[in-house]
Amino acid sequence: MPQNADQSQPVIDEAIFEHLVGLAAFHLSEQEKAYLRRELNQQLRSIRELEALDIGEDVPITSHGVPYSGAIAAPLREDEAEVCPAADDILEQAPEVDLRYLVVPDIPHEELE
Amino acid sequence: MSTSLCDLPALEQLRLIKSREISATELLEAHLARIDAVEGRRPSTDAYTPDPEDLKYVHAFITVTRERAQAQARAVDEALANGQDPGPLAGLPLAVKDIFCVRGTPSTAGSRILERFVSPYTATPVARMEAVGAVMIGKVNMDEFAFGSSSESSAFLPPPGNPWNPAYVPGGSSGGSTAAVAAGEAALSLGTDTAGSIRQPAAFCGVVGLKPTYGRVSRYGLIAFASSLDCPGLMGREVRDVALALQVIAGPDPYDATAAQVPVPDYLTSLERPIEGMRIGLSPDYFKLKYPDPETGEIRERGIAPEIEAAVWRAAEVLAGMGAEIVEDVPMPHTRYGIPAYFVVSRVEAASNLHRYDGVKYGHRFEGPVADLGELYRRSRGEGFGPQPKLRILMGMYVSAEQYEKGYYETALRARTLIRRDFDQAFDPQGDYRLDCLLTATTPTTAFKIGDVYGDTVMMQYADSLTVSANHAGIPALSIPAGFDSSGLPIGIQILSPDFTEGRLFQVGRAYEIATQDDPWRQETPMVVKSLEGG
C-alpha cells in the first residue's frame, strides 16, 4: 500500500491520464479531459482513506460477500454445445454485417516491446 | 391520500382483478392514463436544454411498451374469462429498470452506446414475473449503467423528478423505478442495487425497496456493472407487495452460476408473525459519516440529518412497543471504509465489464471515416459513453494497474472482509449482540435538488454511505418509508439481516407499517398526484 503523498498535488498527472485514456480506448475532448482528471484525483482522496486501515495479510480477501460453500453453489452444467435460437436476432444488432460476418476496419499491427 | 386505482397497493390491485371487479385491461389503461398525465416530455438523447416546465413532471420512462402491455393484459383477461389462473401477478403493471434485457424491446442502460440496442433475450427476473401474469408497462430511466445516485447521469434527458417534488431528484440509480411507483405509474418495479441503488431512491421517493441477498435472485439478463455487487431487487408501495414479487423471482437459475441453491420460503405466510423477542440493533457508526472535505481532502465527520436520526429512534420505539428488544451501541467500525473500498472494487469490475462495448458487435458505432479498428473503438466509445462510465473505467484502470498504485485493489477486498465480519459478529447467535436485525437510516439526507450535487462525483458517491456495506457483505436489506422531513420530502429507514433472511426483513417492515398505519404522514399524497386531483 503506498504511503500518503502530498494531498494537494494531483496524483494522476497528464502523462498518467493520457496512458489511462489509451488503455480505455476513448477519444475525449479537452473539456472532458479536464473534468475527468479533476474528478479522478478527487476520488483518490477518498480511496486513500483505506491507508488508515491496519490490515494484515492474515485478513483474507472477499471477492463477494456471501460465502459460496458447496451446499449453496450451483453445480456446473455439462459443457455441451447448443444451437443458439436467436443467432439472426443477435446479428441484427451489429452495426455492419456482410454474409453473417461482422465488418471492421483495418486491424492495426504494432510490434510489442 | 389518493384513492385512485393506480395508487392502491399491488395486492389490492391483484384482488380486484382476480375477483373480476376490474379487468387487467382497465387497470393497465388507468396506469397508461396516469403516465400520460404525469410524465411530461419523453426523455431522449437529443441535445438537452433544461426547461423550468420539466421540474413539474416525473420523466420516469425511457420506453413505454404500450402495445406489448395491452396484449399481455388482454391475455390475462382471456385466461380469467376461461376460468384459468394466469398466476400470482395476473394483470399487475410492472416498470422495469432499463438495465434488464427484455426480448424485442430497447434495453439501453440509460446510455447512448446502447440507444438502438434491442435485446434478443429476456432477463430471468423479468421472465419469471411475466410468466405469472405481470404486465410490463415500460422500461424506466436510471443513471447511465447505474453509475450514480440521482439518475441525472442518464443519457436520456430530462432526468427523472421526485414525485413528492419534481424539482428534486428521485435518487438513483433506480430513480425511474421509484419515481414510477411513487407516482402511481406502476404497481411494482424491478431494479438493481450495487451500492444502494434500490434503497436510496426508495427512501427518497417514499416507497419500499428491497436489496435481496447476493445470489437470491438471478442476474441473467442484467447489463453488468460490478458483478460481485450487482443485485436485482424490487420496489413497491407496501412491504407485502415486495414480498409477493420476491417469491416469484427468487431461486436458482441454470443461466447464473451465482444464483444460490437455497430454498425460497413462503414469504407471505410469515409476514405478519409477531416480532416479539426479536433483537434489533442500533449502531453509532450508522449515525455519523466520514467523508473527504471537497476543498482540502481531509476526512471530516458529521452526523446524519437530525430529522432522519429522529425517525430511526422513533422506529426503534415503535418496534420496542411491539415486543422487540432494542440493542444499542452495536459497533460496526468498518462502515466508514465502505465507500473508499467501493470506489476501488466497483471501478475495477466496471472497467472490465464495459470493455465489451466496441462499436462492432452491437451498440453505438462512430459513423465517420476512421483509419483503423483502434480509432473505431476510441471514437465509438468516446461518443457512446457519458462522463460517468468514462470516469469509472479510467479509475478502474488506474487502481488495478500495477505500475501506478500497488495494493489498492487487494486492500479494498480485505476491507470488504472486515465489513462482512462486522455483520457476522453482530448477527452471531453466540456472540455479544445476537441481533436478528440492524436498524439504521437509509440515507444521510433526504432528496436533494436536481443539479445541486451532480458533477461532484465524490459527494454523490457518499449518498450511499449507509447502504453500500450490505453490498460488500452480500446481506439483504430493506428500506421502508418512515415519514417526511420539514420540506415534505420522504425519509427512509433501513433494516439489515443475515444472508437469505429476507422473510425477517419483511416481518419487521410489515410490523412497522401496521404500527404506523394511522399516522398522519401515511395520508400524504405525492405532489404530482395531488396536482391531478386538484385539477
Side-chain angles (χ1 to χ4, degrees):
Chain A
M1 196 75 192
Q3 291 307 300
N4 206 347
D6 178 1
Q7 294 241 351
S8 65
Q9 295 300 314
V11 175
I12 299 180
D13 60 21
E14 281 186 37
I16 293 176
F17 182 78
E18 289 299 338
H19 182 218
L20 297 173
V21 169
L23 290 173
F26 290 148
H27 181 271
L28 301 176
S29 68
E30 291 305 314
Q31 192 182 2
E32 280 182 298
K33 287 180 182 179
Y35 170 75
L36 293 170
R37 192 157 80 85
R38 187 191 76 210
E39 289 300 310
L40 286 172
N41 281 305
Q42 295 281 18
Q43 291 186 2
L44 271 180
R45 288 175 165 175
S46 170
I47 290 171
R48 288 182 159 204
E49 202 189 345
L50 291 172
E51 293 168 13
L53 263 176
D54 183 15
I55 198 165
E57 293 201 352
D58 55 320
V59 176
I61 64 166
T62 290
S63 56
H64 47 74
V66 178
Y68 274 86
S69 64
I72 69 166
L76 294 176
R77 287 178 309 205
E78 292 297 317
D79 187 14
E80 292 173 349
E82 292 176 23
V83 175
C84 174
D88 289 332
D89 294 341
I90 292 169
L91 282 170
E92 262 182 35
Q93 297 301 315
E96 195 174 352
V97 176
D98 185 20
L99 298 175
R100 295 169 69 83
Y101 287 94
L102 300 175
V103 177
V104 298
D106 286 346
I107 298 172
H109 295 276
E110 55 186 285
E111 295 295 325
L112 295 176
E113 293 174 8
Chain B
M1 188 171 67
S2 170
T3 53
S4 160
L5 199 54
C6 296
D7 302 307
L8 295 174
L11 274 179
E12 180 60 11
Q13 293 182 5
L14 289 165
R15 188 193 66 76
L16 292 171
I17 288 176
K18 285 196 176 162
S19 64
R20 312 285 297 275
E21 290 172 64
I22 59 168
S23 68
T25 298
E26 283 174 299
L27 184 63
L28 172 64
E29 292 302 327
H31 282 83
L32 290 170
R34 175 64 65 85
I35 288 172
D36 291 341
V38 303
E39 271 293 290
R41 60 173 166 152
R42 181 65 41 81
S44 79
T45 60
D46 297 344
Y48 173 59
T49 306
D51 180 338
E53 193 69 10
D54 292 338
L55 301 179
K56 299 176 183 171
Y57 294 99
V58 180
H59 310 292
F61 284 81
I62 292 177
T63 306
V64 176
T65 47
R66 190 177 295 263
E67 290 171 9
R68 186 179 183 279
Q70 286 167 333
Q72 286 180 318
R74 277 196 302 275
V76 168
D77 288 333
E78 284 167 15
L80 287 169
N82 293 331
Q84 298 164 338
D85 179 5
L89 299 182
L92 197 72
L94 168 71
V96 174
K97 185 177 182 180
D98 211 14
I99 202 163
F100 289 96
C101 290
V102 179
R103 182 175 168 80
T105 72
S107 300
T108 70
S111 181
R112 184 186 295 272
I113 210 161
L114 287 175
E115 182 177 6
R116 288 192 285 274
F117 174 65
V118 176
S119 177
Y121 71 112
T122 298
T124 296
V126 181
R128 287 183 178 173
M129 293 180 89
E130 290 193 322
V132 295
V135 171
M136 189 185 81
I137 200 165
K139 306 290 291 294
V140 280
N141 213 342
M142 52 180 284
D143 282 295
E144 186 173 0
F145 284 101
F147 299 163
S149 306
S150 68
S151 301
E152 293 167 282
S153 69
S154 175
F156 294 81
L157 299 171
N162 191 316
W164 295 92
N165 183 340
Y168 286 71
V169 303
S173 63
S174 307
S177 290
T178 54
V181 170
E185 299 175 273
L188 278 174
S189 188
L190 191 59
T192 56
D193 190 313
T194 308
S197 281
I198 286 175
R199 292 161 287 156
Q200 185 254 23
F204 278 12
C205 289
V207 301
V208 176
L210 172 73
K211 182 205 96 67
T213 312
Y214 183 85
R216 177 81 288 180
V217 178
S218 167
R219 290 182 293 113
Y220 179 71
L222 165 64
I223 296 171
F225 157 15
S227 304
S228 78
L229 299 158
D230 291 340
C231 210
L234 295 152
M235 290 143 280
R237 286 189 287 272
E238 286 196 354
V239 170
R240 290 182 296 186
D241 299 346
V242 170
L244 171 66
L246 182 66
Q247 194 80 53
V248 171
I249 66 173
D253 178 10
Y255 296 118
D256 177 5
T258 62
Q261 307 282 309
V262 177
V264 180
D266 184 338
Y267 296 121
L268 287 177
T269 302
S270 61
L271 197 61
E272 295 191 0
R273 282 187 191 151
I275 61 165
E276 198 168 354
M278 269 198 190
R279 289 172 63 83
I280 298 177
L282 294 170
S283 172
D285 297 305
Y286 275 85
F287 287 118
K288 63 190 178 198
L289 296 176
K290 291 201 171 169
Y291 66 100
D293 184 285
E295 299 299 321
T296 66
E298 287 176 36
I299 301 301
R300 306 260 184 232
E301 182 173 303
R302 72 164 184 230
I304 63 172
E307 289 173 294
I308 297 179
E309 179 170 348
V312 176
W313 285 104
R314 178 165 179 276
E317 278 175 30
V318 166
L319 296 170
M322 301 181 85
E325 187 178 344
I326 304 301
V327 182
E328 295 185 32
D329 296 324
V330 178
M332 304 292 289
H334 298 100
T335 305
R336 62 176 287 196
Y337 298 107
I339 293 294
Y342 182 78
F343 264 128
V344 177
V345 175
S346 70
R347 271 55 173 179
V348 172
E349 295 186 15
S352 173
N353 276 321
L354 269 62
H355 263 304
R356 70 191 67 177
Y357 303 103
D358 56 8
V360 174
K361 304 181 291 295
Y362 53 90
H364 177 78
R365 181 176 199 156
F366 176 68
E367 291 180 348
V370 292
D372 58 28
L373 184 61
E375 188 181 2
L376 178 74
Y377 289 161
R378 291 190 293 276
R379 293 279 184 177
S380 298
R381 289 163 64 85
E383 279 186 344
F385 286 130
Q388 300 315 314
K390 285 172 180 160
L391 194 53
R392 296 201 180 205
I393 292 168
L394 291 169
M395 182 58 88
M397 296 282 175
Y398 182 76
V399 293
S400 60
E402 191 178 15
Q403 66 267 47
Y404 296 134
E405 294 287 337
K406 290 178 187 172
Y408 275 136
Y409 184 52
E410 202 172 300
T411 303
L413 293 179
R414 292 187 203 282
R416 203 171 168 183
T417 303
L418 298 178
I419 291 167
R420 170 80 192 190
R421 283 183 184 170
D422 283 351
F423 287 110
D424 286 343
Q425 285 164 9
F427 296 141
D428 181 355
Q430 274 77 50
D432 290 341
Y433 300 98
R434 304 180 305 284
L435 299 185
D436 293 290
C437 303
L438 186 69
L439 172 66
T440 76
T442 309
T443 57
T445 68
T446 53
F448 40 88
K449 280 186 177 165
I450 290 175
D452 267 10
V453 180
Y454 184 60
D456 182 338
T457 57
V458 175
M459 293 317 292
M460 187 67 83
Q461 191 68 79
Y462 274 79
D464 296 330
S465 294
L466 307 179
T467 48
V468 69
S469 294
N471 299 82
H472 283 305
I475 62 169
L478 181 74
S479 179
I480 56 173
F484 295 87
D485 71 4
S486 51
S487 303
L489 293 165
I491 291 171
I493 55 173
Q494 178 178 229
I495 313 159
L496 306 103
S497 66
D499 297 342
F500 303 106
T501 59
E502 287 83 357
R504 193 182 300 169
L505 298 179
F506 296 144
Q507 205 180 334
V508 176
R510 181 65 186 147
Y512 179 80
E513 280 182 346
I514 290 170
T516 59
Q517 63 189 353
D518 296 325
D519 283 8
W521 64 268
R522 292 268 182 206
Q523 307 306 312
E524 296 293 332
T525 300
M527 186 186 287
V528 295
V529 178
K530 201 183 286 182
S531 69
L532 299 176
E533 291 168 349

